[in-house]
């Protein structure tokens, strides 16, 4: 018997197509907009007209960015801050999840989870505003603590001195993302087969051994995926966070690619120049993600998919 | 009375028994967790105390746990600011409309994507996933919004947020868990595909709908970038953008005051506590709903991580 040819299910097609059309409009058409990066359209008044009329200039905008006097500083800030942030903030939720798992009182454990998730849902504007206040030389609690401990003699100008900027970003990220970042590891730990621990106990393993030899290897897959995703984001900053802490006095350490694109592209209307920077960023991120994927597949046998 | 005492004794004994099983590590871990709780909670105490303290008095420092000079002036100042009312109106509007439309549209598309008899299913998938890793950037996106007349329109908050591939995948993972027999039963009863989605799948997926709706809602409540970049009309300003302006202006004045203009210190004195009052007002709705939604929020991450 020959199988009857299936009828096309038009309802399903319509449902999927409506999402498809959305992506075409808001994701794929802007991708074609990358031609702006290869044209000379800076400072034009009518972008739509200029899109047709202006000339192609090849890679001029990219070269202009590489030669830009801000380039070196921005790349140092973007990569330096993100790398430092990765090294410090990546392991913390993992350690937190393991410690939480070791906590004996179930009710207290639940309370810790609920409370540590909370800062994640507060906007960076609010959280940043509070941290700025706490760091302030007038009425700020941090300076007061340092003063009374005798660590410093005069209040530190955290918000205007560029040298503190990276540390403020990292520290505020840790507090805000600690609980939420741990959820995925908590879920992974909860999924570990209990009999593994029982077997280890029979073999005489203590709690430290159990975590090193069972918990960590069992959640290694999750860790690798999260690490790869973070590596691909090394050129992207959390705009909301940087923007709220940034001010004209700390620009030397606080200007990153994303804030620069916003400032030059939207405020100063250098459309081609910033589109070129955006392409530069996207391509490097794609390269980092794919090379990270292949390296980890080769050496650890697991990648993103 | 006696019962009460007995219960108390029982609890005491349980605690004692529990504590006896603790070793040094357990105590250190417990204290460490307490410290983390303080770190996560104290910023909110700090801002609350400042908001209820008199401005000039606050700037003398030392107000960290309780207000020293109670005052509601900060709140009076903020409530008299017209921008707060406009911000509240826009933010509540976008959160309500955006959450409902965004959640429903994403679940609608996801249903189509989850069915095996969707033609070119793999193509649809790769097409969607590619957008998660590559984009055209801010300027081309701005141009698209402009050509749809969305710049300086309230709908710029709603329409670009209608659909997200990430949330779609979470919906699809959930729909796949629903037994296929339910779909078949629907077909036998003569239901059309759309009816099966609306009458069977939608009600069954309430848990995941709640989670996604919470995420979208929190995103709408907290976002200021779109308001800052895509609108210039003061009547379209969102609450968070109002806060950004309040904080950035004050932060700048403070920076200058610290280095250049000492006479401006006087001006900034009350700005700090006014700022705190505005922060408290705009965060209050989140704090009020948080206890009810926090369980749902975490669930989605776990649902989403199953695929990984």
């Amino acid at each position: 018997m020959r199988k009857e040819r299936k009828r096309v299910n038009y309802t399903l097609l319509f449902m999927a197509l409506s999402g498809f059309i959305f992506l075409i409009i808001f994701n794929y058409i802007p991708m074609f907009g990358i031609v702006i990066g290869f044209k000379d359209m800076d400072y034009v008044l009518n972008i739509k007209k200029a899109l047709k009329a202006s000339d192609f200039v090849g890679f001029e905008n990219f070269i202009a960015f590489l030669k830009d006097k801000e380039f070196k500083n921005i790349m140092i800030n973007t990569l330096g801050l993100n790398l430092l942030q990765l090294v410090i903030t990546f392991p913390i939720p993992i350690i937190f999840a393991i410690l939480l798992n070791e906590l004996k009182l179930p009710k207290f454990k639940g309370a810790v989870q609920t409370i540590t998730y909370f800062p994640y849902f507060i906007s960076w504007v609010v959280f940043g505003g509070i941290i700025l206040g706490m760091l302030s030389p007038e009425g700020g609690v941090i300076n007061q603590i340092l003063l009374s401990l005798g660590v410093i003699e005069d209040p530190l100008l955290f918000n205007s001195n560029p040298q503190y900027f990276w540390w403020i970003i990292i520290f505020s990220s840790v507090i805000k993302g600690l609980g939420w970042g741990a959820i995925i590891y908590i879920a992974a730990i909860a999924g570990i087969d209990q009999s593994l621990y029982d077997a280890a106990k029979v073999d005489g393993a203590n709690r430290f051994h159990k975590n090193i030899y069972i918990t960590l290897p069992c959640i290694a897959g999750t860790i690798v995926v999260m690490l790869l995703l973070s590596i691909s984001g090394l050129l992207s900053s959390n705009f909301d966070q940087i923007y709220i802490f940034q001010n004209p006095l700390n620009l030397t350490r606080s200007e990153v690619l994303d804030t620069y694109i916003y400032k030059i592209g939207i405020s100063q209307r250098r459309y081609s120049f910033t589109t070129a920077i955006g392409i530069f960023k996207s391509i490097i991120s794609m390269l980092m993600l794919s090379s990270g994927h292949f390296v980890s597949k080769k050496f650890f046998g697991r990648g993103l998919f | 009375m006696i019962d009460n005492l007995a219960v108390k004794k029982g609890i005491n004994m349980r605690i004692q028994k529990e504590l006896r099983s603790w070793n040094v590590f357990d105590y250190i871990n417990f204290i460490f967790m307490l410290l983390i709780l303080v770190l996560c909670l104290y910023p909110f105490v700090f801002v609350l105390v400042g908001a209820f303290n008199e401005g000039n008095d606050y700037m003398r420092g030392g107000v960290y746990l309780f207000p020293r000079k109670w005052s509601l002036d900060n709140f009076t100042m903020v409530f008299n600011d017209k921008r707060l009312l406009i911000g509240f109106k826009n933010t509540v509007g976008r959160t309500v409309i955006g959450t409902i439309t965004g959640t429903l549209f994403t679940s609608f598309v996801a249903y189509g994507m989850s069915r095996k008899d969707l033609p070119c299913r793999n193509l649809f998938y790769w097409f969607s996933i590619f957008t998660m890793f590559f984009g055209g950037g801010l300027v081309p996106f701005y141009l698209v919004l402009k050509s749809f007349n969305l710049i300086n329109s309230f709908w710029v908050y709603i329409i670009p947020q209608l659909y997200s591939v990430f949330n779609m995948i979470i919906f699809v993972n959930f729909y796949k868990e629903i037994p296929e027999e339910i779909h078949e039963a629907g077909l036998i009863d003569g239901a059309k595909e759309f009816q099966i989605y609306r009458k069977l799948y939608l009600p069954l997926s309430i848990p995941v709908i709640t989670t996604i709706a919470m995420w979208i809602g929190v995103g709408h409540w907290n976002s200021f970038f779109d308001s800052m970049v895509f609108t210039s009309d003061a009547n379209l300003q969102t609450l968070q953008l109002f806060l950004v302006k309040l904080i950035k202006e004050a932060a700048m004045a403070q920076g200058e005051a610290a280095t250049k203009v000492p006479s401006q210190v006087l001006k900034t004195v009350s700005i700090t506590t006014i700022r705190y009052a505005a922060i408290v007002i705009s965060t209050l709705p989140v704090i009020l709903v948080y206890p009810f939604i926090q369980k749902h929020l975490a669930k989605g991450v776990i649902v989403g991580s199953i695929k990984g």
Side-chain angles (χ1 to χ4, degrees):
Chain A
M1 280 264 284
R2 231 176 33 172
K3 229 180 171 181
E4 228 179 293
R5 217 177 142 216
K6 250 190 178 171
R7 275 179 56 211
V8 175
N9 192 329
Y10 286 105
T11 317
L12 293 182
L13 196 60
F14 174 75
M15 287 170 146
L17 266 180
S18 52
F20 183 83
I21 291 167
F22 180 96
L23 292 179
I24 294 264
I25 294 173
F26 292 106
N27 293 83
Y28 281 90
I29 292 179
M31 281 184 210
F32 291 109
I34 60 175
V35 292
I36 297 170
F38 298 93
K39 288 188 162 208
D40 180 19
M41 288 170 52
D42 285 353
Y43 311 114
V44 293
L45 287 176
N46 188 335
I47 319 181
K48 259 197 229 164
K49 244 185 219 162
L51 200 55
K52 282 180 196 137
S54 61
D55 298 324
F56 274 98
V57 293
F59 287 92
E60 231 167 67
N61 290 311
F62 294 85
I63 295 165
F65 175 56
L66 296 180
K67 283 184 179 162
D68 195 282
K69 63 180 189 323
E70 303 269 0
F71 174 77
K72 202 180 131 204
N73 203 25
I74 290 173
M75 289 309 282
I76 290 176
N77 288 341
T78 313
L79 279 173
L81 177 55
N82 283 340
L83 272 175
L84 197 63
Q85 198 159 6
L86 183 68
V87 170
I88 295 174
T89 57
F90 187 79
I92 289 180
I94 304 173
I95 298 168
F96 179 64
I98 291 175
L99 288 179
L100 199 65
N101 189 49
E102 288 291 324
L103 212 54
K104 285 261 175 79
L105 309 165
K107 270 194 182 153
F108 181 63
K109 197 165 148 182
V112 172
Q113 274 178 286
T114 306
I115 291 170
T116 50
Y117 295 166
F118 179 64
Y120 183 82
F121 296 101
I122 297 302
S123 71
W124 265 114
V125 181
V126 165
F127 199 69
I130 300 174
I131 302 284
L132 280 173
M134 290 172 71
L135 292 170
S136 154
E138 301 133 359
V141 67
I142 306 285
N143 265 312
Q144 189 55 49
I145 291 174
L146 293 177
L147 279 172
S148 41
L149 286 177
V151 182
I152 50 169
E153 279 172 10
D154 294 307
L156 297 174
L157 303 174
F158 287 109
N159 303 336
S160 49
N161 191 337
Q163 75 179 77
Y164 300 117
F165 187 81
W166 289 11
W167 298 108
I168 296 174
I169 293 291
I170 289 169
F171 192 69
S172 55
S173 298
V174 168
I175 299 183
K176 198 162 182 289
L178 176 74
W180 191 253
I183 289 188
I184 203 152
Y185 301 113
I186 292 171
I189 291 173
I192 299 174
D193 190 353
Q194 273 303 315
S195 60
L196 287 173
Y197 291 107
D198 297 338
K201 203 172 183 183
V202 173
D203 288 348
N206 63 24
R207 277 156 88 186
F208 182 72
H209 288 143
K210 279 186 204 168
N211 279 311
I212 295 290
Y213 297 113
I214 299 175
T215 313
L216 272 181
C218 283
I219 62 172
T222 315
I223 295 177
V224 168
V225 170
M226 298 305 284
L227 191 64
L228 287 178
L229 289 175
S230 326
I231 287 172
S232 75
L234 275 183
L235 286 184
S236 313
S237 311
N238 185 337
F239 180 89
D240 289 12
Q241 183 190 12
I242 305 269
Y243 186 76
I244 199 74
F245 285 110
Q246 189 178 62
N247 65 51
L249 296 167
N250 61 20
L251 271 187
T252 48
R253 278 286 156 264
S254 67
E255 192 79 291
V256 293
L257 273 175
D258 287 335
T259 53
Y260 192 63
I261 290 177
Y262 164 73
K263 197 167 82 183
I264 303 293
I266 302 298
S267 310
Q268 296 183 18
R269 304 210 331 273
R270 292 186 66 184
Y271 304 120
S272 291
F273 185 66
T274 45
T275 304
I277 303 177
I279 298 167
F280 170 82
K281 201 185 113 181
S282 272
I283 287 174
I284 295 201
S285 305
M286 284 281 276
L287 283 178
M288 287 207 268
L289 183 70
S290 43
S291 48
H293 169 72
F294 287 116
V295 167
S296 104
K297 202 133 204 187
K298 187 145 192 204
F299 291 101
F300 304 108
R302 19 167 108 93
L304 269 183
F305 38 81
Chain B
M1 227 8 221
I2 297 163
D3 275 0
N4 215 345
L5 269 175
V7 168
K8 258 189 186 166
K9 212 177 167 190
I11 291 173
N12 269 336
M13 271 170 68
R14 274 226 309 273
I15 292 175
Q16 271 174 12
K17 204 180 159 195
E18 172 71 40
L19 286 181
R20 238 176 277 142
S21 73
W22 283 26
N23 61 18
V24 182
F25 168 78
D26 286 312
Y27 284 107
I28 294 174
N29 198 10
F30 183 77
I31 291 165
F32 175 73
M33 289 296 166
L34 281 182
L35 270 176
I36 285 184
L37 288 190
V38 171
L39 272 181
C40 287
L41 280 178
Y42 182 70
F44 300 101
V45 174
F46 177 81
V47 81
L48 199 66
V49 168
F52 282 103
N53 201 77
E54 195 206 58
N56 277 319
D57 176 67
Y58 184 82
M59 297 317 282
R60 291 200 286 118
V63 184
Y64 304 126
L65 284 175
F66 299 101
R68 188 167 47 206
K69 235 177 171 179
W70 281 86
S71 158
L72 289 173
D73 292 349
N74 301 315
F75 289 96
T76 321
M77 288 288 286
V78 177
F79 279 122
N80 277 324
D81 197 327
K82 215 175 65 189
R83 293 178 299 173
L84 180 87
L85 201 71
I86 294 172
F88 244 104
K89 202 185 71 196
N90 286 324
T91 296
V92 169
R94 74 176 285 180
T95 305
V96 172
I97 301 173
T99 307
I100 295 171
T101 54
T103 314
L104 284 181
F105 185 69
T106 307
S107 93
F108 176 79
V109 176
Y111 179 79
M113 300 284 284
S114 74
R115 303 298 310 164
K116 286 207 177 64
D117 44 342
L118 170 73
C120 318
R121 188 153 169 255
N122 270 330
L123 193 78
F124 276 118
Y125 262 98
W126 284 112
F127 188 86
S128 307
I129 287 175
F130 184 67
T131 62
M132 291 173 84
F133 297 103
F134 196 78
L138 187 57
V139 176
F141 186 66
Y142 181 89
L143 289 183
V144 169
L145 295 181
K146 196 164 183 161
S147 59
F148 281 93
N149 277 328
L150 285 174
I151 299 298
N152 262 332
S153 143
F154 176 75
W155 298 103
V156 78
Y157 300 141
I158 309 294
I159 293 171
Q161 316 277 345
L162 268 180
Y163 180 58
S164 117
V165 173
F166 185 80
N167 291 342
M168 180 273 284
I169 291 173
I170 288 174
F171 267 119
V172 166
N173 282 338
F174 190 87
Y175 289 146
K176 279 182 181 163
E177 306 259 303
I178 296 176
E180 193 55 30
E181 286 79 18
I182 289 180
H183 188 268
E184 279 162 18
L187 281 182
I188 290 167
D189 287 348
K192 294 261 165 52
E193 198 73 52
F194 181 72
Q195 282 172 315
I196 295 177
Y197 160 68
R198 204 172 63 94
K199 296 261 170 70
L200 296 174
Y201 276 62
L202 211 52
L204 280 172
S205 56
I206 294 275
V208 74
I209 286 183
T210 327
T211 302
I212 303 264
M214 299 302 161
W215 282 359
I216 298 179
V218 169
H220 272 290
W221 189 270
N222 285 345
S223 128
F224 74 88
F225 186 74
D226 45 11
S227 185
M228 181 168 80
V229 178
F230 304 133
T231 67
S232 51
D233 186 345
N235 285 319
L236 285 174
Q237 216 177 63
T238 59
L239 189 60
Q240 301 292 331
L241 187 59
F242 163 65
L243 282 180
V244 168
K245 289 189 172 163
L246 206 64
I247 290 167
K248 294 280 277 188
E249 280 163 17
M252 263 171 73
Q254 194 187 58
E256 277 170 22
T259 53
K260 282 185 230 152
V261 208
S263 63
Q264 274 210 337
V265 172
L266 269 176
K267 270 188 193 169
T268 62
V269 162
S270 53
I271 286 182
T272 306
T273 44
I274 292 171
R275 204 166 61 174
Y276 292 165
I279 285 176
V280 168
I281 294 168
S282 67
T283 316
L284 203 62
V286 184
I287 295 178
L288 289 181
V289 296
Y290 182 72
F292 303 102
I293 68 173
Q294 54 98 5
K295 266 186 192 150
H296 299 288
L297 286 163
K299 239 183 248 161
V301 180
I302 293 153
V303 172
S305 67
I306 287 168
K307 70 174 197 296

